[in-house]
Amino acid sequence: MKFITLIFSDYRKYKKYGGNFITILFFTQGFWAIFQHRIAHAIYKLPIPVLKQILQILCLFWQKSIEIVTGISIPASVEIGHSFYIGHFGGVFLNAKTQIGNNCNISQGVTIGVSGLGDKRGVPKIGNNVYIGANAVIAGKILIKDNVLIAACSLVNKDVETNGVVLGVPAIRVSEKGSEGYI
């Protein structure tokens, strides 16, 4: 039942940004995507193999329909903490091995994916209270620590320390103000 708690935390986050029940439930594509993900992830974690496989097939079709309608791809295996918010729909792609902490915001056009060579090849791990701006790309076996702000149109391919503000291609640290006020 933990997934129900996560759904409510996501709903409260959307409500915080000015939505009401009707607009969040029926007109907010980011909420549709995270709602579907929460249920699919709960099924992904089920310990009953036969039931799990049957439900995963249904969730896969549901996920694909959400992807087509919203342009947001969040595979069932992605680990996402509570209070997750997708600011605008469209072009959001998360690798199946992505890990995102609590209370994070993602804007449209964000890609979190695999990159690198040899033992540097992998997928980012994203901490708590991270804001990712529009059209940012985060790739490789890197660690984005807590309270980080990633500016729009940035390419992050190196670790980012706590309270960092990074921007550019490739992204460089420009401030230590962090994500406060953006989340």
Side-chain angles (χ1 to χ4, degrees):
M1 290 297 244
K2 183 180 177 190
F3 78 96
I4 291 175
T5 306
L6 291 171
I7 290 169
F8 280 115
S9 74
D10 297 333
Y11 173 79
R12 282 191 301 276
K13 183 86 172 256
Y14 277 87
K15 195 157 180 63
K16 172 185 169 186
Y17 289 112
N20 62 47
F21 179 77
I22 299 298
T23 58
I24 292 169
L25 195 61
F26 295 107
F27 301 108
T28 308
Q29 294 90 341
F31 185 75
W32 298 348
I34 192 62
F35 179 82
Q36 185 279 330
H37 171 266
R38 296 296 189 194
I39 293 171
H41 187 72
I43 291 167
Y44 176 79
K45 295 283 193 177
L46 270 178
I48 308 163
V50 175
L51 178 61
K52 175 180 174 176
Q53 289 175 339
I54 292 168
L55 293 174
Q56 277 185 314
I57 291 169
L58 295 173
C59 281
L60 185 60
F61 284 109
W62 187 18
Q63 178 191 344
K64 283 298 168 191
S65 65
I66 290 291
E67 284 180 26
I68 291 166
V69 171
T70 66
I72 300 170
S73 176
I74 309 175
S77 59
V78 173
E79 299 276 344
I80 300 175
H82 67 76
S83 304
F84 185 68
Y85 180 80
I86 300 172
H88 303 282
F89 77 97
V92 175
F93 297 95
L94 308 182
N95 181 280
K97 294 182 181 178
T98 300
Q99 295 177 6
I100 299 175
N102 299 321
N103 198 33
C104 292
N105 290 18
I106 290 183
S107 297
Q108 73 275 10
V110 169
T111 300
I112 300 174
V114 67
S115 185
L117 299 171
D119 61 345
K120 297 282 186 186
R121 186 164 182 78
V123 178
K125 290 183 182 178
I126 297 172
N128 301 320
N129 305 311
V130 174
Y131 176 86
I132 304 172
N135 299 312
V137 175
I138 306 168
K141 189 176 180 180
I142 60 174
L143 180 61
I144 307 298
K145 294 191 177 173
D146 297 342
N147 307 315
V148 168
L149 184 143
I150 298 170
C153 300
S154 296
L155 168 63
V156 182
N157 59 2
K158 291 188 168 98
D159 293 349
V160 181
E161 294 300 318
T162 302
N163 295 320
V165 176
V166 296
L167 64 87
V169 179
I172 58 170
R173 188 178 180 117
V174 295
S175 172
E176 295 182 20
K177 292 182 180 179
S179 61
E180 188 177 343
Y182 287 87
I183 303 277

